[in-house]
Amino acid sequence: MIKLWRWVQNNFFAVAALFLLAFIPLYPKIPLVDIVQTWVYIRLEDIFVAALLVVLLYFVIKRRFSLSSALTRPILVYWGIGFVILITSIFFISRNTPDFFPHLALLHYLRRIEYMMVFFLALLAVRQSPWVRRVLPWVLCMIVLMVFLYGLGQKFLGLPAF
């Protein structure tokens, strides 16, 4: 048991990335928290992704890991431009638009950041554990097979659609 625990500690980001890769498409999109005056919901996958990103940022801040890649700078520029647009829309456009909700704009912006941060988690997983490249095709095949079987269950067995 101790050997397994050490293995999970040494390969935490790889296990977390494979977990998210399977969990996000397979778990139903059932809302947990309703945000008032919006159609935005916080789901269980958002909580898992946010928790893993907090752990990721902790290790990056401690300088144990580096997130540099060819896509790091373009992603940061994209986030910066999105932030400028968010601030501009909140302070200038919202005054002239009656159905504009600043908290909804902020939530959409944060969700885009959240989903793009998963790229950095996957990057770290591949760098930290080279075995992920061998396991990844099998995990993807199992996920596609499970989605296919559930689709057949929806078509012929009346399984619910989410």
Side-chain angles (χ1 to χ4, degrees):
M1 191 66 165
I2 294 173
K3 194 174 186 180
L4 176 65
W5 178 249
R6 284 191 185 138
W7 183 86
V8 169
Q9 284 180 327
N10 293 336
N11 298 293
F12 176 76
F13 291 110
V15 172
L18 291 174
F19 169 76
L20 284 180
L21 184 67
F23 184 80
I24 290 172
L26 294 177
Y27 188 77
K29 306 299 182 225
I30 300 172
L32 288 181
V33 178
D34 182 18
I35 308 298
V36 294
Q37 296 180 339
T38 68
W39 289 95
V40 177
Y41 300 98
I42 296 175
R43 303 181 299 245
L44 188 58
E45 69 188 52
D46 295 325
I47 293 171
F48 282 149
V49 170
L52 288 172
L53 293 180
V54 166
V55 173
L56 176 68
L57 290 175
Y58 171 75
F59 282 107
V60 169
I61 290 171
K62 282 186 69 175
R63 301 280 185 223
R64 285 187 60 189
F65 300 114
S66 172
L67 296 178
S68 61
S69 76
L71 291 177
T72 301
R73 186 169 291 168
I75 288 174
L76 291 176
V77 168
Y78 178 80
W79 289 345
I81 292 170
F83 183 73
V84 168
I85 292 171
L86 175 68
I87 296 301
T88 303
S89 65
I90 289 174
F91 288 114
F92 298 112
I93 298 174
S94 66
R95 296 178 185 178
N96 302 328
T97 308
D99 291 331
F100 180 82
F101 302 106
H103 66 288
L104 180 60
L106 178 65
L107 286 172
H108 278 290
Y109 176 69
L110 292 176
R111 183 163 278 173
R112 300 311 176 263
I113 288 178
E114 175 189 26
Y115 286 156
M116 291 177 78
M117 283 292 289
V118 175
F119 161 77
F120 293 109
L121 179 69
L123 174 72
L124 188 58
V126 171
R127 284 184 182 170
Q128 180 189 28
S129 306
W131 57 266
V132 171
R133 292 182 185 187
R134 291 180 302 221
V135 173
L136 187 62
W138 294 101
V139 171
L140 288 174
C141 286
M142 292 303 297
I143 292 168
V144 169
L145 177 66
M146 292 165 77
V147 169
F148 174 75
L149 291 175
Y150 191 82
L152 287 177
Q154 284 180 324
K155 177 89 173 158
F156 299 113
L157 301 175
L159 294 178
F162 293 98

